[in-house]
Amino acid sequence: MRIGFIGVGFMGRHMARNLLNGGHELTLFDIRKGSAEELLAMGAQWADSPRAVAEACGVVFTSLPRPQDVEEVATGEGGILSGAAPGSVVFDLSTTDPETISRIAAQAEARGVSVLDAPVSGGTVGAEDGTLCIMVGGDREAYDRYESTLALIGNQVMYCGPLGSGAICKITNNFIGLSLGVLLAEAFTLGVKAGAPPETLFDAISRSTGSTRSMQGMPNGLFAGNFEPGFQLDLAAKDVGLATEMARRLHVPLELGNIVQQRYIEGQNRGWGRLAAGAVAQLQEERAGVQVRSQPDG
Ligand code: NAD
């Protein structure tokens, strides 16, 4: 089957590679053609616009940074919907909000095209290994038709319910993970300043009730002073913002969530937006007057 893929950044390139390795043919577009080099060398075809991708493929995947990028790529001039034939299906793998995906789907429906939200969790490692969780919302028949294709991208594909359900699950998940990032920075600055090496804290907590998957990236990240993305702080700020905006709309108080959001905004203002989301911990290190770093051997 020929599959369209738009947005081959940190996540998209791995997901697209797994579709190619699964025996499918790919047609790609990204505003930075350089991002697609490896995939083109593997035999993927280049298209000059989202429209051209949709003209070539009955199913199109998008993995784009922000909701406004997804909307532009889907509904803008030269966008997917201007080229998609009736009966085509679009899966948006980006982290967006239920309103954006609903606006896109309404326009798509008028053209006989199905759009589903299908955000993913598991990071670049999960994308590379094909072990992502994919949370899908929308047309059940389209989901069933492409479930085995989605399974090439992530071995934990889950139908969450009507359109927007995947986005709701993903926003809720990232709200937890990103809040834990801020909490972990507070906890580890405390433990280190009190005298325990980061690795000792990590080993003890890994065996205890405070253990969380969000902690697993710390040895290669904060402990090593390594803030190479992965998952960019700009995208983390976007995701916490999606949670606080959804909460405002629904009149759900998120006291902690709004504090967490301010930390990521402050991180962006430090110029750390393109660094890993974990770079936000440096704000707490400054406040605490201590760094959570591994000591060199010897
Ligand atoms: P990224 O910025 O690395 O990749 C996005 C790609 O989209 C880039 O290659 C960019 O050039 C391209 N792009 C941007 N605007 C475009 C447009 N108008 N037309 C065509 N291409 C365009 O981001 P990423 O880390 O790959 O994340 C993609 C999405 O997945 C985001 O919504 C993010 O929140 C979500 N996500 C990321 C991770 C992660 O660990 N990085 C994990 C889960 C979900």
Side-chain angles (χ1 to χ4, degrees):
M1 176 170 59
R2 178 161 287 283
I3 295 174
F5 208 104
I6 301 173
V8 286
F10 281 110
M11 294 296 284
R13 67 187 55 178
H14 297 302
M15 298 191 276
R17 191 189 315 109
N18 285 333
L19 291 170
L20 265 179
N21 288 337
H24 295 292
E25 295 171 319
L26 276 195
T27 299
L28 304 178
F29 176 72
D30 191 294
I31 41 169
R32 287 179 304 181
K33 191 170 181 181
S35 306
E37 265 169 22
E38 183 204 333
L39 293 159
L40 296 176
M42 287 176 71
Q45 281 190 3
W46 180 255
D48 282 328
S49 66
R51 176 192 182 128
V53 171
E55 282 170 348
C57 310
V59 58
V60 177
F61 291 89
T62 52
S63 177
L64 298 161
R66 303 165 306 166
Q68 53 266 50
D69 301 315
V70 178
E71 194 155 15
E72 173 66 23
V73 163
T75 65
E77 203 183 324
I80 296 170
L81 295 185
S82 65
S88 315
V89 178
V90 178
F91 288 95
D92 179 32
L93 304 161
S94 328
T95 305
T96 60
D97 57 293
E99 284 66 34
T100 299
I101 204 75
S102 296
R103 278 196 306 275
I104 297 170
Q107 286 198 35
E109 201 180 343
R111 296 170 170 269
V113 176
S114 295
V115 174
L116 295 89
D117 48 314
V120 302
S121 179
T124 50
V125 173
E128 196 163 1
D129 298 347
T131 55
L132 295 170
C133 170
I134 312 181
M135 304 161 230
V136 189
D139 178 7
R140 180 76 208 221
E141 189 275 323
Y143 169 83
D144 288 339
R145 193 163 8 130
Y146 289 105
E147 191 178 12
S148 61
T149 312
L150 290 164
L152 294 171
I153 295 174
N155 63 1
Q156 298 179 67
V157 187
M158 179 177 164
Y159 182 74
C160 297
L163 190 71
S165 303
I168 293 168
C169 293
K170 172 65 177 169
I171 289 171
T172 307
N173 176 76
N174 276 28
F175 175 45
I176 296 170
L178 295 167
S179 301
L180 284 172
V182 170
L183 179 68
L184 285 165
E186 291 197 0
F188 274 76
T189 51
L190 175 65
V192 168
K193 200 162 186 182
E199 294 80 5
T200 307
L201 290 166
F202 183 87
D203 285 346
I205 296 162
S206 292
R207 299 160 203 227
S208 305
T209 53
S211 183
T212 159
R213 205 165 142 183
S214 296
M215 198 174 70
Q216 296 310 313
M218 292 183 83
N220 291 328
L222 186 63
F223 298 0
N226 170 19
F227 301 115
E228 283 291 312
F231 179 50
Q232 297 162 82
L233 192 144
D234 273 341
L235 295 178
K238 178 248 320 180
D239 290 355
V240 183
L242 292 177
T244 55
E245 280 162 28
M246 193 159 84
R248 278 194 188 90
R249 231 177 11 255
L250 297 170
H251 304 287
V252 175
L254 291 189
E255 288 166 33
L256 295 176
N258 282 285
I259 294 172
V260 168
Q261 185 177 18
Q262 303 315 305
R263 296 286 161 83
Y264 286 96
I265 291 171
E266 199 178 337
Q268 287 180 300
N269 288 343
R270 295 294 187 95
W272 301 339
R274 295 295 174 98
L275 300 182
V280 77
Q282 295 174 108
L283 295 172
Q284 170 63 13
E285 290 183 324
E286 285 177 20
R287 292 169 175 189
V290 67
Q291 283 197 317
V292 179
R293 296 287 179 279
S294 302
Q295 293 305 308
D297 290 340

mmCIF file of all heavy atoms in Angstrom, residues 6-13 15 29-32 35 50 63-66 69 72-73 93-96 120-124 170 174 230-232 235 238-239, ligand 1:
data_model
loop_
_atom_site.group_PDB
_atom_site.id
_atom_site.type_symbol
_atom_site.label_atom_id
_atom_site.label_comp_id
_atom_site.label_asym_id
_atom_site.label_seq_id
_atom_site.Cartn_x
_atom_site.Cartn_y
_atom_site.Cartn_z
ATOM 1 N N ILE A 6 3.538 13.174 6.428
ATOM 2 C CA ILE A 6 3.902 14.603 6.420
ATOM 3 C C ILE A 6 4.439 14.983 7.799
ATOM 4 O O ILE A 6 3.739 14.852 8.812
ATOM 5 C CB ILE A 6 2.681 15.479 6.044
ATOM 6 C CG1 ILE A 6 2.170 15.066 4.659
ATOM 7 C CG2 ILE A 6 3.059 16.963 6.070
ATOM 8 C CD1 ILE A 6 0.869 15.739 4.248
ATOM 9 N N GLY A 7 5.687 15.440 7.820
ATOM 10 C CA GLY A 7 6.344 15.819 9.071
ATOM 11 C C GLY A 7 7.254 14.711 9.545
ATOM 12 O O GLY A 7 6.825 13.812 10.278
ATOM 13 N N VAL A 8 8.521 14.764 9.101
ATOM 14 C CA VAL A 8 9.450 13.682 9.450
ATOM 15 C C VAL A 8 10.553 14.218 10.367
ATOM 16 O O VAL A 8 11.737 14.163 10.066
ATOM 17 C CB VAL A 8 10.017 12.972 8.189
ATOM 18 C CG1 VAL A 8 8.935 12.091 7.580
ATOM 19 C CG2 VAL A 8 10.534 13.959 7.147
ATOM 20 N N GLY A 9 10.119 14.770 11.515
ATOM 21 C CA GLY A 9 11.047 15.298 12.514
ATOM 22 C C GLY A 9 11.493 14.203 13.466
ATOM 23 O O GLY A 9 11.635 13.035 13.080
ATOM 24 N N PHE A 10 11.687 14.563 14.739
ATOM 25 C CA PHE A 10 12.213 13.616 15.727
ATOM 26 C C PHE A 10 11.360 12.350 15.817
ATOM 27 O O PHE A 10 11.892 11.255 15.985
ATOM 28 C CB PHE A 10 12.291 14.267 17.110
ATOM 29 C CG PHE A 10 13.481 15.161 17.282
ATOM 30 C CD1 PHE A 10 13.335 16.532 17.375
ATOM 31 C CD2 PHE A 10 14.763 14.628 17.327
ATOM 32 C CE1 PHE A 10 14.433 17.360 17.532
ATOM 33 C CE2 PHE A 10 15.877 15.448 17.482
ATOM 34 C CZ PHE A 10 15.702 16.816 17.584
ATOM 35 N N MET A 11 10.046 12.508 15.726
ATOM 36 C CA MET A 11 9.156 11.342 15.812
ATOM 37 C C MET A 11 8.836 10.777 14.439
ATOM 38 O O MET A 11 8.915 9.570 14.204
ATOM 39 C CB MET A 11 7.846 11.736 16.515
ATOM 40 C CG MET A 11 7.997 12.117 17.961
ATOM 41 S SD MET A 11 8.555 10.759 19.006
ATOM 42 C CE MET A 11 7.051 9.794 19.147
ATOM 43 N N GLY A 12 8.438 11.667 13.527
ATOM 44 C CA GLY A 12 7.927 11.230 12.232
ATOM 45 C C GLY A 12 8.895 10.374 11.446
ATOM 46 O O GLY A 12 8.503 9.396 10.806
ATOM 47 N N ARG A 13 10.187 10.717 11.515
ATOM 48 C CA ARG A 13 11.158 9.966 10.697
ATOM 49 C C ARG A 13 11.205 8.491 11.105
ATOM 50 O O ARG A 13 11.316 7.605 10.261
ATOM 51 C CB ARG A 13 12.547 10.596 10.788
ATOM 52 C CG ARG A 13 13.206 10.496 12.143
ATOM 53 C CD ARG A 13 14.477 11.296 12.174
ATOM 54 N NE ARG A 13 14.219 12.685 11.772
ATOM 55 C CZ ARG A 13 15.142 13.632 11.735
ATOM 56 N NH1 ARG A 13 16.371 13.348 12.029
ATOM 57 N NH2 ARG A 13 14.819 14.858 11.385
ATOM 58 N N MET A 15 8.715 6.812 12.690
ATOM 59 C CA MET A 15 7.429 6.173 12.385
ATOM 60 C C MET A 15 7.346 5.866 10.888
ATOM 61 O O MET A 15 6.910 4.777 10.488
ATOM 62 C CB MET A 15 6.281 7.074 12.848
ATOM 63 C CG MET A 15 6.301 7.306 14.357
ATOM 64 S SD MET A 15 4.809 8.082 15.014
ATOM 65 C CE MET A 15 5.128 9.814 14.726
ATOM 66 N N PHE A 29 6.314 14.486 2.686
ATOM 67 C CA PHE A 29 6.540 15.937 2.595
ATOM 68 C C PHE A 29 6.912 16.464 3.975
ATOM 69 O O PHE A 29 6.406 15.993 4.995
ATOM 70 C CB PHE A 29 5.286 16.677 2.090
ATOM 71 C CG PHE A 29 5.463 18.172 2.090
ATOM 72 C CD1 PHE A 29 6.288 18.786 1.151
ATOM 73 C CD2 PHE A 29 4.848 18.968 3.057
ATOM 74 C CE1 PHE A 29 6.484 20.164 1.171
ATOM 75 C CE2 PHE A 29 5.040 20.336 3.083
ATOM 76 C CZ PHE A 29 5.856 20.940 2.138
ATOM 77 N N ASP A 30 7.821 17.445 3.961
ATOM 78 C CA ASP A 30 8.188 18.171 5.187
ATOM 79 C C ASP A 30 8.652 19.546 4.709
ATOM 80 O O ASP A 30 9.240 19.652 3.629
ATOM 81 C CB ASP A 30 9.327 17.440 5.927
ATOM 82 C CG ASP A 30 9.576 17.983 7.331
ATOM 83 O OD1 ASP A 30 10.004 19.160 7.454
ATOM 84 O OD2 ASP A 30 9.346 17.253 8.302
ATOM 85 N N ILE A 31 8.411 20.590 5.511
ATOM 86 C CA ILE A 31 8.887 21.913 5.045
ATOM 87 C C ILE A 31 10.411 21.955 4.988
ATOM 88 O O ILE A 31 10.968 22.798 4.302
ATOM 89 C CB ILE A 31 8.368 23.112 5.892
ATOM 90 C CG1 ILE A 31 8.393 22.797 7.369
ATOM 91 C CG2 ILE A 31 7.015 23.592 5.428
ATOM 92 C CD1 ILE A 31 8.146 24.008 8.238
ATOM 93 N N ARG A 32 11.074 21.030 5.695
ATOM 94 C CA ARG A 32 12.537 20.929 5.565
ATOM 95 C C ARG A 32 12.867 19.616 4.863
ATOM 96 O O ARG A 32 12.836 18.545 5.484
ATOM 97 C CB ARG A 32 13.195 20.965 6.950
ATOM 98 C CG ARG A 32 13.148 22.366 7.575
ATOM 99 C CD ARG A 32 13.772 22.333 8.936
ATOM 100 N NE ARG A 32 13.115 21.349 9.780
ATOM 101 C CZ ARG A 32 13.425 21.106 11.039
ATOM 102 N NH1 ARG A 32 14.404 21.755 11.610
ATOM 103 N NH2 ARG A 32 12.761 20.208 11.748
ATOM 104 N N SER A 35 15.214 16.909 6.290
ATOM 105 C CA SER A 35 14.786 15.940 7.314
ATOM 106 C C SER A 35 14.429 14.592 6.702
ATOM 107 O O SER A 35 14.364 13.586 7.415
ATOM 108 C CB SER A 35 13.550 16.463 8.060
ATOM 109 O OG SER A 35 13.791 17.741 8.570
ATOM 110 N N PRO A 50 1.583 19.027 0.788
ATOM 111 C CA PRO A 50 0.628 18.083 1.386
ATOM 112 C C PRO A 50 -0.432 17.638 0.387
ATOM 113 O O PRO A 50 -0.849 16.480 0.381
ATOM 114 C CB PRO A 50 0.012 18.907 2.529
ATOM 115 C CG PRO A 50 1.063 19.902 2.892
ATOM 116 C CD PRO A 50 1.737 20.256 1.596
ATOM 117 N N SER A 63 2.653 14.191 11.375
ATOM 118 C CA SER A 63 3.334 14.284 12.678
ATOM 119 C C SER A 63 3.995 15.655 12.728
ATOM 120 O O SER A 63 5.146 15.819 12.319
ATOM 121 C CB SER A 63 4.371 13.165 12.819
ATOM 122 O OG SER A 63 5.072 13.309 14.046
ATOM 123 N N LEU A 64 3.230 16.626 13.207
ATOM 124 C CA LEU A 64 3.616 18.039 13.103
ATOM 125 C C LEU A 64 3.659 18.671 14.489
ATOM 126 O O LEU A 64 3.019 18.183 15.422
ATOM 127 C CB LEU A 64 2.598 18.764 12.220
ATOM 128 C CG LEU A 64 2.548 18.220 10.774
ATOM 129 C CD1 LEU A 64 1.254 18.612 10.086
ATOM 130 C CD2 LEU A 64 3.761 18.714 9.987
ATOM 131 N N PRO A 65 4.394 19.796 14.642
ATOM 132 C CA PRO A 65 4.613 20.319 15.997
ATOM 133 C C PRO A 65 3.347 20.769 16.721
ATOM 134 O O PRO A 65 3.034 20.254 17.791
ATOM 135 C CB PRO A 65 5.561 21.505 15.769
ATOM 136 C CG PRO A 65 6.198 21.257 14.444
ATOM 137 C CD PRO A 65 5.204 20.483 13.636
ATOM 138 N N ARG A 66 2.617 21.738 16.162
ATOM 139 C CA ARG A 66 1.545 22.395 16.937
ATOM 140 C C ARG A 66 0.194 22.213 16.249
ATOM 141 O O ARG A 66 0.137 21.969 15.043
ATOM 142 C CB ARG A 66 1.846 23.891 17.045
ATOM 143 C CG ARG A 66 3.193 24.223 17.660
ATOM 144 C CD ARG A 66 3.564 25.665 17.389
ATOM 145 N NE ARG A 66 3.516 25.959 15.954
ATOM 146 C CZ ARG A 66 3.528 27.164 15.419
ATOM 147 N NH1 ARG A 66 3.583 28.226 16.181
ATOM 148 N NH2 ARG A 66 3.482 27.344 14.092
ATOM 149 N N ASP A 69 -0.157 24.045 13.044
ATOM 150 C CA ASP A 69 0.556 23.442 11.902
ATOM 151 C C ASP A 69 -0.302 22.342 11.269
ATOM 152 O O ASP A 69 -0.365 22.213 10.049
ATOM 153 C CB ASP A 69 1.898 22.838 12.365
ATOM 154 C CG ASP A 69 2.809 23.880 13.002
ATOM 155 O OD1 ASP A 69 2.922 24.980 12.437
ATOM 156 O OD2 ASP A 69 3.397 23.587 14.060
ATOM 157 N N GLU A 72 -3.141 23.953 9.290
ATOM 158 C CA GLU A 72 -2.651 24.551 8.048
ATOM 159 C C GLU A 72 -2.349 23.462 7.004
ATOM 160 O O GLU A 72 -2.741 23.576 5.840
ATOM 161 C CB GLU A 72 -1.380 25.368 8.370
ATOM 162 C CG GLU A 72 -0.629 25.927 7.176
ATOM 163 C CD GLU A 72 -1.416 26.983 6.408
ATOM 164 O OE1 GLU A 72 -2.327 27.589 7.017
ATOM 165 O OE2 GLU A 72 -1.137 27.172 5.201
ATOM 166 N N VAL A 73 -1.681 22.423 7.434
ATOM 167 C CA VAL A 73 -1.295 21.344 6.516
ATOM 168 C C VAL A 73 -2.542 20.604 5.999
ATOM 169 O O VAL A 73 -2.596 20.177 4.848
ATOM 170 C CB VAL A 73 -0.311 20.364 7.202
ATOM 171 C CG1 VAL A 73 -0.211 19.033 6.461
ATOM 172 C CG2 VAL A 73 1.063 21.015 7.327
ATOM 173 N N LEU A 93 -0.974 12.067 13.981
ATOM 174 C CA LEU A 93 -0.187 11.483 15.077
ATOM 175 C C LEU A 93 0.358 12.553 16.024
ATOM 176 O O LEU A 93 1.004 12.235 17.025
ATOM 177 C CB LEU A 93 0.991 10.688 14.485
ATOM 178 C CG LEU A 93 0.618 9.586 13.482
ATOM 179 C CD1 LEU A 93 1.834 9.200 12.640
ATOM 180 C CD2 LEU A 93 0.080 8.360 14.210
ATOM 181 N N SER A 94 0.127 13.829 15.693
ATOM 182 C CA SER A 94 0.646 14.940 16.509
ATOM 183 C C SER A 94 -0.151 15.058 17.801
ATOM 184 O O SER A 94 -1.253 14.522 17.918
ATOM 185 C CB SER A 94 0.515 16.260 15.749
ATOM 186 O OG SER A 94 0.651 16.089 14.360
ATOM 187 N N THR A 95 0.400 15.797 18.760
ATOM 188 C CA THR A 95 -0.368 16.100 19.974
ATOM 189 C C THR A 95 -1.112 17.412 19.739
ATOM 190 O O THR A 95 -0.497 18.473 19.672
ATOM 191 C CB THR A 95 0.564 16.226 21.185
ATOM 192 O OG1 THR A 95 1.343 15.036 21.284
ATOM 193 C CG2 THR A 95 -0.234 16.436 22.467
ATOM 194 N N THR A 96 -2.431 17.310 19.558
ATOM 195 C CA THR A 96 -3.255 18.498 19.323
ATOM 196 C C THR A 96 -4.430 18.478 20.292
ATOM 197 O O THR A 96 -4.482 17.632 21.178
ATOM 198 C CB THR A 96 -3.808 18.522 17.887
ATOM 199 O OG1 THR A 96 -4.605 17.359 17.703
ATOM 200 C CG2 THR A 96 -2.708 18.561 16.853
ATOM 201 N N VAL A 120 0.549 9.942 19.915
ATOM 202 C CA VAL A 120 1.393 8.809 20.323
ATOM 203 C C VAL A 120 2.130 9.132 21.615
ATOM 204 O O VAL A 120 2.385 10.291 21.928
ATOM 205 C CB VAL A 120 2.415 8.471 19.216
ATOM 206 C CG1 VAL A 120 1.705 8.137 17.918
ATOM 207 C CG2 VAL A 120 3.413 9.606 18.990
ATOM 208 N N SER A 121 2.496 8.082 22.344
ATOM 209 C CA SER A 121 3.294 8.248 23.554
ATOM 210 C C SER A 121 4.389 7.190 23.573
ATOM 211 O O SER A 121 4.164 6.062 23.149
ATOM 212 C CB SER A 121 2.411 8.110 24.801
ATOM 213 O OG SER A 121 3.205 8.262 25.957
ATOM 214 N N GLY A 122 5.552 7.589 24.065
ATOM 215 C CA GLY A 122 6.674 6.641 24.137
ATOM 216 C C GLY A 122 7.986 7.259 23.687
ATOM 217 O O GLY A 122 9.027 6.609 23.746
ATOM 218 N N GLY A 123 7.936 8.514 23.225
ATOM 219 C CA GLY A 123 9.158 9.245 22.903
ATOM 220 C C GLY A 123 9.861 8.720 21.662
ATOM 221 O O GLY A 123 9.352 7.839 20.960
ATOM 222 N N THR A 124 11.038 9.285 21.400
ATOM 223 C CA THR A 124 11.762 8.916 20.185
ATOM 224 C C THR A 124 12.241 7.462 20.253
ATOM 225 O O THR A 124 12.355 6.807 19.221
ATOM 226 C CB THR A 124 12.971 9.848 19.959
ATOM 227 O OG1 THR A 124 13.736 9.910 21.166
ATOM 228 C CG2 THR A 124 12.535 11.248 19.588
ATOM 229 N N LYS A 170 -4.176 11.811 25.430
ATOM 230 C CA LYS A 170 -2.775 12.222 25.293
ATOM 231 C C LYS A 170 -2.478 13.487 26.113
ATOM 232 O O LYS A 170 -1.444 13.587 26.782
ATOM 233 C CB LYS A 170 -2.468 12.448 23.813
ATOM 234 C CG LYS A 170 -1.125 13.066 23.506
ATOM 235 C CD LYS A 170 0.043 12.168 23.898
ATOM 236 C CE LYS A 170 1.370 12.807 23.498
ATOM 237 N NZ LYS A 170 2.519 12.110 24.090
ATOM 238 N N ASN A 174 0.260 13.658 29.081
ATOM 239 C CA ASN A 174 1.432 14.549 29.079
ATOM 240 C C ASN A 174 1.379 15.548 30.224
ATOM 241 O O ASN A 174 2.424 15.975 30.728
ATOM 242 C CB ASN A 174 1.558 15.266 27.729
ATOM 243 C CG ASN A 174 2.276 14.381 26.738
ATOM 244 O OD1 ASN A 174 2.217 13.161 26.852
ATOM 245 N ND2 ASN A 174 2.970 14.968 25.779
ATOM 246 N N GLY A 230 15.479 14.515 21.395
ATOM 247 C CA GLY A 230 14.259 14.124 22.025
ATOM 248 C C GLY A 230 12.973 14.916 21.832
ATOM 249 O O GLY A 230 12.487 15.052 20.717
ATOM 250 N N PHE A 231 12.511 15.283 22.913
ATOM 251 C CA PHE A 231 11.222 15.971 23.015
ATOM 252 C C PHE A 231 11.545 17.396 23.441
ATOM 253 O O PHE A 231 12.030 17.633 24.548
ATOM 254 C CB PHE A 231 10.358 15.246 24.050
ATOM 255 C CG PHE A 231 9.009 15.863 24.262
ATOM 256 C CD1 PHE A 231 8.184 16.175 23.193
ATOM 257 C CD2 PHE A 231 8.554 16.136 25.546
ATOM 258 C CE1 PHE A 231 6.932 16.735 23.387
ATOM 259 C CE2 PHE A 231 7.300 16.689 25.756
ATOM 260 C CZ PHE A 231 6.494 16.989 24.674
ATOM 261 N N GLN A 232 11.268 18.337 22.546
ATOM 262 C CA GLN A 232 11.703 19.714 22.779
ATOM 263 C C GLN A 232 10.851 20.420 23.839
ATOM 264 O O GLN A 232 9.641 20.215 23.917
ATOM 265 C CB GLN A 232 11.628 20.507 21.470
ATOM 266 C CG GLN A 232 12.558 19.984 20.396
ATOM 267 C CD GLN A 232 12.162 20.472 19.014
ATOM 268 O OE1 GLN A 232 12.500 21.580 18.643
ATOM 269 N NE2 GLN A 232 11.428 19.662 18.280
ATOM 270 N N LEU A 235 7.696 22.011 22.735
ATOM 271 C CA LEU A 235 6.541 21.112 22.579
ATOM 272 C C LEU A 235 5.939 20.760 23.937
ATOM 273 O O LEU A 235 4.725 20.611 24.077
ATOM 274 C CB LEU A 235 6.942 19.851 21.813
ATOM 275 C CG LEU A 235 7.376 20.075 20.356
ATOM 276 C CD1 LEU A 235 7.799 18.760 19.705
ATOM 277 C CD2 LEU A 235 6.262 20.712 19.536
ATOM 278 N N LYS A 238 3.846 23.618 24.907
ATOM 279 C CA LYS A 238 2.594 23.523 24.132
ATOM 280 C C LYS A 238 1.641 22.532 24.786
ATOM 281 O O LYS A 238 0.465 22.810 24.973
ATOM 282 C CB LYS A 238 2.942 23.089 22.702
ATOM 283 C CG LYS A 238 1.798 22.898 21.771
ATOM 284 C CD LYS A 238 1.516 21.488 21.307
ATOM 285 C CE LYS A 238 2.614 20.557 20.973
ATOM 286 N NZ LYS A 238 2.234 19.222 20.547
ATOM 287 N N ASP A 239 2.154 21.374 25.184
ATOM 288 C CA ASP A 239 1.287 20.312 25.724
ATOM 289 C C ASP A 239 0.687 20.695 27.082
ATOM 290 O O ASP A 239 -0.493 20.434 27.335
ATOM 291 C CB ASP A 239 2.051 18.991 25.846
ATOM 292 C CG ASP A 239 2.353 18.386 24.484
ATOM 293 O OD1 ASP A 239 1.893 18.945 23.469
ATOM 294 O OD2 ASP A 239 3.051 17.355 24.434
HETATM 295 P P1 NAD B 1 9.684 17.990 15.303
HETATM 296 O O1 NAD B 1 9.642 19.465 15.367
HETATM 297 O O2 NAD B 1 10.991 17.280 15.450
HETATM 298 O O3 NAD B 1 9.061 17.473 13.912
HETATM 299 C C1 NAD B 1 8.036 18.118 13.237
HETATM 300 C C2 NAD B 1 8.348 18.085 11.751
HETATM 301 O O4 NAD B 1 7.289 18.758 11.082
HETATM 302 C C3 NAD B 1 9.645 18.818 11.389
HETATM 303 O O5 NAD B 1 10.445 18.004 10.555
HETATM 304 C C4 NAD B 1 9.160 20.078 10.665
HETATM 305 O O6 NAD B 1 10.047 20.521 9.652
HETATM 306 C C5 NAD B 1 7.845 19.594 10.091
HETATM 307 N N1 NAD B 1 6.888 20.685 9.820
HETATM 308 C C6 NAD B 1 6.577 21.734 10.613
HETATM 309 N N2 NAD B 1 5.634 22.494 10.038
HETATM 310 C C7 NAD B 1 5.348 21.890 8.850
HETATM 311 C C8 NAD B 1 4.463 22.192 7.794
HETATM 312 N N3 NAD B 1 3.688 23.280 7.828
HETATM 313 N N4 NAD B 1 4.443 21.358 6.723
HETATM 314 C C9 NAD B 1 5.231 20.258 6.669
HETATM 315 N N5 NAD B 1 6.097 19.930 7.635
HETATM 316 C C10 NAD B 1 6.147 20.730 8.717
HETATM 317 O O7 NAD B 1 8.643 17.448 16.383
HETATM 318 P P2 NAD B 1 8.504 15.957 16.963
HETATM 319 O O8 NAD B 1 9.277 15.861 18.224
HETATM 320 O O9 NAD B 1 8.734 14.977 15.860
HETATM 321 O O10 NAD B 1 6.970 15.959 17.378
HETATM 322 C C11 NAD B 1 5.917 15.866 16.417
HETATM 323 C C12 NAD B 1 4.582 15.792 17.161
HETATM 324 O O11 NAD B 1 4.570 14.621 17.993
HETATM 325 C C13 NAD B 1 4.329 16.981 18.109
HETATM 326 O O12 NAD B 1 2.963 17.297 18.104
HETATM 327 C C14 NAD B 1 4.770 16.455 19.461
HETATM 328 O O13 NAD B 1 4.126 17.131 20.521
HETATM 329 C C15 NAD B 1 4.372 15.003 19.365
HETATM 330 N N6 NAD B 1 5.166 14.070 20.168
HETATM 331 C C16 NAD B 1 6.517 14.195 20.282
HETATM 332 C C17 NAD B 1 7.240 13.275 21.060
HETATM 333 C C18 NAD B 1 8.745 13.355 21.201
HETATM 334 O O14 NAD B 1 9.295 12.644 22.060
HETATM 335 N N7 NAD B 1 9.470 14.138 20.410
HETATM 336 C C19 NAD B 1 6.561 12.216 21.703
HETATM 337 C C20 NAD B 1 5.177 12.111 21.540
HETATM 338 C C21 NAD B 1 4.478 13.035 20.782
#
